[in-house]
């Protein structure tokens, strides 16, 4: 309470103009939230995220911003709104997520930040992907890829990965291979930018690129030894919680993809072992993407040749109950 009161005092003290201490305080809070988002359940950071976004908006609306500060505050507004939008998507509220993404895009445009503008198109694609709207997901990812064509950071690669995943749902194997090959080629020419320096949701690490590539193949219904090895490597890439790019959602997603690949390869017991850590996740971590990934495994179980096996029936029933045991997510 004392720290919160001190922050409120500092944010309100610069009545005539915004001081460097205020901007420094917001920098610290944005960096903390960006780092925490992939690592902590949404309920742990949601209130602070909304409060910090409100503080930035209040400063932008207050008429006390120097021209030299305006771009910086708009970048902060875009970053925070991006995370709030992702939060709404994690809560399975795609309409509100899309609305907040448009707010992030508006701030990014005001900041004239091409990387953030492209990233907001990527977030629209992500929202559409989990809302089972693959055509929209592919469209937004393609728009973002066009914006990011000359960007040297990893946002351009993320958009190609989003293209590949959406194309996989559409059953377009050629588009999947083209996008993934382009992403692999561009990885060698990456020059990290300010978004990569932020980290968290704003960088597309090699381990995440592998996870996306494997997921596209799994969604296409592929199995086989080589793909299973890649899927195991993707899981291994998120096995260390102390690694800088670790994210519980990416770990769970890659584990579900490994389960799918093993299932399509005829390894039912291996699939059950792969998804077990996901089903054992604390209820607070069961966001929309994780639930949808698990349900994708259930669909494959119930429609595949192993559906009559006792292991398949028991596992399918357990996955079916998985989303129902989620706790109340943050208030919307």
């Amino acid at each position: 309470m004392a720290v919160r009161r001190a922050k409120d005092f500092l944010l309100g003290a610069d009545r005539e103009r915004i001081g460097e201490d205020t901007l420094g305080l917001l920098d610290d809070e944005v960096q903390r939230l960006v780092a925490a988002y992939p690592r902590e359940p949404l309920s742990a950071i949601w209130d602070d995220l909304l409060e910090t976004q409100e503080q930035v908006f209040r400063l932008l609306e207050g008429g006390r911003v120097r021209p030299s500060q305006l771009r910086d505050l708009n970048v902060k507004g875009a970053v925070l709104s991006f995370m709030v939008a992702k939060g709404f998507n994690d809560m399975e509220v795609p309409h509100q997520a899309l609305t907040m993404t448009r707010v992030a895009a508006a701030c990014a445009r005001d900041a004239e930040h091409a990387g953030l503008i492209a990233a907001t198109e990527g977030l629209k694609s992500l929202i559409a992907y989990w809302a089972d709207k693959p055509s929209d997901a592919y469209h937004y990812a393609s728009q973002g890829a066009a914006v990011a064509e000359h960007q040297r950071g990893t946002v351009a690669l993320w958009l190609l990965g989003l293209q590949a995943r959406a194309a996989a749902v559409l059953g377009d194997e050629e588009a999947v291979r083209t996008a993934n090959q382009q992403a692999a080629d561009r990885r060698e020419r990456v020059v990290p930018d300010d978004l990569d320096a932020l980290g968290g949701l704003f960088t597309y690490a090699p381990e995440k690129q592998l996870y996306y590539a494997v997921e596209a193949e799994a969604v296409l219904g592929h199995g086989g030894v080589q793909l299973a090895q890649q899927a195991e490597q993707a899981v291994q890439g998120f096995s260390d919680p102390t690694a800088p790019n670790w994210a519980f959602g990416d770990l769970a997603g890659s584990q579900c993809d490994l389960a799918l690949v093993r299932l399509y390869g005829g390894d039912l017991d291996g699939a059950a072992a792969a998804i077990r850590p996901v089903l054992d996740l604390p209820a607070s971590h069961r966001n929309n993407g994780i639930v949808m990934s698990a349900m994708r495994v259930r669909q494959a179980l119930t429609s595949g040749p192993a559906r009559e096996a006792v292991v398949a029936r028991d596992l399918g029933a357990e996955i079916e109950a998985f989303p129902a045991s989620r706790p109340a997510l943050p208030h919307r």
Side-chain angles (χ1 to χ4, degrees):
M1 288 178 65
V3 171
R4 187 178 298 276
R5 176 68 184 90
K7 285 169 61 179
D8 289 342
F9 170 77
L10 183 58
L11 288 163
D14 301 322
R15 305 261 178 221
E16 301 302 322
R17 63 184 184 182
I18 299 172
E20 293 306 312
D21 287 336
T22 297
L23 292 177
L25 180 89
L26 290 171
D27 276 336
D28 292 345
E29 195 66 359
V30 168
Q31 290 170 10
R32 179 183 74 84
L33 291 166
V34 168
Y37 196 102
R39 297 176 170 272
E40 299 181 22
L42 185 59
S43 57
I45 64 168
W46 186 243
D47 289 344
D48 287 348
L49 184 54
L50 294 181
E51 180 184 0
T52 307
Q53 183 196 39
E54 168 62 21
Q55 289 165 346
V56 170
F57 285 169
R58 198 161 58 234
L59 292 174
L60 283 169
E61 294 169 345
R64 298 179 284 134
V65 183
R66 298 172 185 170
S68 60
Q69 298 169 329
L70 187 58
R71 184 177 189 273
D72 180 48
L73 277 172
N74 272 303
V75 167
K76 288 179 173 60
V79 167
L80 291 163
S81 298
F82 185 104
M83 289 192 288
V84 173
K86 178 66 164 57
F88 280 126
N89 189 64
D90 287 346
M91 286 188 269
E92 203 173 352
V93 195
H95 176 72
Q96 293 188 25
L98 190 56
T99 298
M100 192 57 69
T101 303
R102 297 191 188 284
V103 175
C107 290
R109 286 193 297 270
D110 286 345
E112 298 181 342
H113 195 298
L116 274 171
I117 294 170
T120 59
E121 294 297 320
L123 187 53
K124 291 177 191 176
S125 176
L126 187 77
I127 293 164
Y129 177 75
W130 292 120
D132 197 23
K133 297 179 178 179
S135 295
D136 288 351
Y138 189 83
H139 169 73
Y140 288 131
S142 299
Q143 280 194 327
V147 174
E149 183 177 0
H150 301 296
Q151 297 296 305
R152 300 295 300 276
T154 63
V155 66
L157 280 67
W158 180 51
L159 286 151
L160 289 168
L162 290 165
Q163 271 188 310
R165 293 204 312 183
V169 180
L170 294 168
D172 189 341
E173 296 204 24
E174 183 178 353
V176 169
R177 304 285 150 65
T178 298
N180 280 336
Q181 187 59 55
Q182 288 176 347
D185 293 343
R186 290 191 67 156
R187 173 61 66 180
E188 300 175 1
R189 303 192 299 273
V190 162
V191 178
D193 58 13
D194 57 336
L195 294 183
D196 292 307
L198 265 180
L201 300 177
F202 299 93
T203 191
Y204 189 61
E207 50 266 46
K208 188 161 186 172
Q209 184 172 345
L210 177 61
Y211 153 46
Y212 269 48
V214 168
E215 177 151 305
E217 295 293 333
V219 169
L220 285 169
H222 295 157
V225 174
Q226 183 176 358
L227 184 58
Q229 290 174 344
Q230 291 176 327
E232 289 164 6
Q233 185 182 347
V235 172
Q236 185 64 30
F238 294 107
S239 63
D240 181 4
T242 66
N245 296 311
W246 184 83
F248 72 84
D250 293 339
L251 173 59
S254 62
Q255 288 166 332
C256 289
D257 292 339
L258 175 59
L260 276 176
V261 170
R262 286 178 173 174
L263 195 58
Y264 293 139
D267 183 4
L268 177 58
D269 290 337
I275 200 173
R276 172 50 49 196
V278 179
L279 300 179
D280 290 341
L281 273 174
S284 59
H285 289 64
R286 298 177 188 181
N287 64 33
N288 182 40
I290 293 174
V291 168
M292 295 298 291
S293 296
M295 296 305 288
R296 189 179 280 157
V297 176
R298 180 181 179 275
Q299 174 62 28
L301 276 169
T302 56
S303 62
R307 61 184 177 276
E308 298 302 326
V310 173
V311 171
R313 290 202 306 268
D314 290 348
L315 186 59
E318 188 174 357
I319 296 173
E320 186 176 19
F322 180 68
S325 59
R326 284 188 289 177
L329 287 166
H331 294 301
R332 301 170 188 171

